[in-house]
Amino acid sequence: MAYNGLVIRSTGSWYDVRDADGHIFQGRLKGKFKIKGLKVTNPIAVGDRVTFEVEDKAENTAIISDIAPRENYIIRQSVHKTAHGHILAANIDQAILLATLTLPRTSLGFIDRFLVSAESFRISTKVIFNKADILNDEGLAYQQEIMDMYERIGYQCLSTSATEGVGVDEFRQLLDHKVTLLSGHSGVGKSSLVNAIAPDLNLRTNEVSTFANKGVHTTTFAEMFELAPNTYIIDTPGIKELGLIDTSKEEISHYFPEMRERLNQCRFHNCLHINEPGCAIKDAVAEGEIAESRYLSYLSMVEGGDNRR
Ligand code: GDP
Ligand code: ZN
């Protein structure tokens, strides 16, 4: 008999599959799965909806026979860089990027690269600035400026302090009834914030002193945690940056919403917004309508080489 399940953990050869009653089976694949038009090293990822049959009831093993079409998915690296990507997770409702302006400092460049990746995967993103408690008045004013800047572009922002319990209820509401990819540098407080709303889960928290130790996380597999009914977070330990879906230089500005809406005002349809005459993007930067930091992030992505074909 075939059942439907949700993949909540993957080790590469085994998949933890949760059925409708919350029972978890260790699943294996039957035969080879090929995904059309996508070169990936793993056929199934966390968040995949699958069909399976129970293999051994006592051992809780199962055979996965089918994967439902994906709403979306995220990959670890640019597909054309190595020709093969690694699917981290599928069927994500939203991403939340957790950032801190200090200890550790999340750069605006990092935030922008994350937002561009998420746009390319068609995943809406919210940005949370944690550790508000350690900012002085000047720091708080700067954080507000940054939040206003991202809100104007359309990214909802929230200021929190996991340790002081500030913004924790709002965080819980953002997650409610969604599958959320929770990302951010190690040490920004992801575990602390999740523990604040779901203490039973007891995610391991890192001391700040360990985040410099890049060897701590070696896994490249995502994990999915159920916080409440139909409320999941996906954690991708050790993953520094997401990839981009196959993107050319010309396409990068499409993933900046404030540029996307002005693209048809540039004189040249293939304008790269670097030194072309009649460029609406450069005009908007000069007039302060597009943030300088966003434009600099754009330039580094176009000129950086990483995303070139
Ligand atoms: P993760 O690596 O993103 O999961 O970060 P952790 O949750 O492990 O937090 C890293 C360190 O930052 C721990 O020592 C936490 O106690 C501390 N921390 C987390 N949130 C806050 C906060 O809002 N304010 C302050 N001052 N420290 C925090
Ligand atoms: Zn232009």
Side-chain angles (χ1 to χ4, degrees):
M1 195 171 135
Y3 298 89
N4 293 323
L6 172 68
V7 176
I8 58 170
R9 209 167 77 91
S10 150
T11 65
S13 46
W14 287 91
Y15 306 92
D16 286 0
V17 181
R18 182 192 191 284
D19 73 7
D21 304 324
H23 194 91
I24 293 166
F25 294 88
Q26 267 77 58
R28 280 183 295 124
L29 289 180
K30 188 172 85 183
K32 285 221 185 301
F33 283 85
K34 280 232 170 66
I35 301 162
K36 251 193 169 162
L38 185 68
K39 290 178 183 160
V40 288
T41 49
N42 58 328
I44 291 196
V46 159
D48 266 323
R49 312 259 164 193
V50 296
T51 307
F52 68 91
E53 291 190 18
V54 176
E55 182 186 36
D56 184 324
K57 207 161 183 167
E59 298 282 331
N60 280 322
T61 56
I63 303 287
I64 298 169
S65 53
D66 204 8
I67 313 171
R70 297 183 171 118
E71 300 276 325
N72 57 29
Y73 57 85
I74 53 169
I75 49 177
R76 196 181 56 209
Q77 58 196 156
S78 158
V79 171
H80 53 265
K81 215 152 87 182
T82 58
H84 286 282
H86 179 90
I87 300 188
L88 287 170
N91 303 321
I92 297 162
D93 293 323
Q94 64 176 357
I96 289 182
L97 178 62
L98 198 58
T100 47
L101 292 176
T102 182
L103 293 172
R105 174 171 170 75
T106 308
S107 73
L108 298 185
F110 177 82
I111 293 176
D112 292 336
R113 282 196 304 279
F114 184 92
L115 294 173
V116 164
S117 293
E119 291 279 342
S120 85
F121 296 126
R122 290 185 319 256
I123 296 170
S124 79
T125 304
K126 300 180 172 82
V127 188
I128 296 185
F129 293 89
N130 189 37
K131 307 200 185 183
D133 58 290
I134 55 175
L135 298 178
N136 59 18
D137 288 348
E138 201 185 332
L140 284 172
Y142 176 66
Q143 180 184 281
Q144 192 58 53
E145 230 176 84
I146 301 297
M147 287 173 55
D148 290 346
M149 185 255 291
Y150 283 115
E151 295 249 346
R152 272 199 304 275
I153 309 168
Y155 298 110
Q156 191 185 339
C157 295
L158 178 67
S159 168
T160 60
S161 165
T163 48
E164 308 285 315
V166 178
V168 168
D169 284 338
E170 288 87 342
F171 175 61
R172 188 200 318 267
Q173 283 164 22
L174 290 182
L175 299 180
D176 199 30
H177 286 88
K178 294 205 165 88
V179 175
T180 302
L181 171 74
L182 185 63
S183 293
H185 287 313
S186 181
V188 295
K190 295 181 294 297
S191 322
S192 304
L193 209 48
V194 170
N195 284 342
I197 62 169
D200 297 344
L201 214 60
N202 208 4
L203 291 190
R204 197 173 58 85
T205 54
N206 301 305
E207 288 309 312
V208 167
S209 60
T210 62
F211 73 76
N213 182 356
K214 300 215 165 59
V216 171
H217 295 298
T218 50
T219 166
T220 54
F221 294 101
E223 225 173 318
M224 196 158 180
F225 301 96
E226 186 181 23
L227 300 185
N230 292 315
T231 303
Y232 292 92
I233 54 162
I234 293 176
D235 182 26
T236 55
I239 304 297
K240 297 278 179 289
E241 299 206 7
L242 298 177
L244 282 175
I245 283 179
D246 210 6
T247 303
S248 66
K249 284 198 282 192
E250 288 74 17
E251 286 168 314
I252 293 178
S253 55
H254 293 255
Y255 302 136
F256 284 77
E258 73 274 48
M259 296 187 186
R260 186 163 61 215
E261 67 185 25
R262 292 177 164 89
L263 291 177
N264 58 7
Q265 298 164 28
C266 288
R267 187 176 306 165
F268 300 110
H269 79 95
N270 58 349
C271 186
L272 279 179
H273 328 298
I274 300 175
N275 40 36
E276 295 90 339
C279 173
I281 303 302
K282 278 196 300 172
D283 289 350
V285 175
E287 282 156 27
E289 289 165 10
I290 289 180
E292 184 103 35
S293 64
R294 292 279 291 169
Y295 182 63
L296 291 176
S297 294
Y298 166 76
L299 284 183
S300 80
M301 296 187 75
V302 172
E303 292 168 346
D306 261 9
N307 308 300
R308 286 187 203 180
R309 272 195 226 268

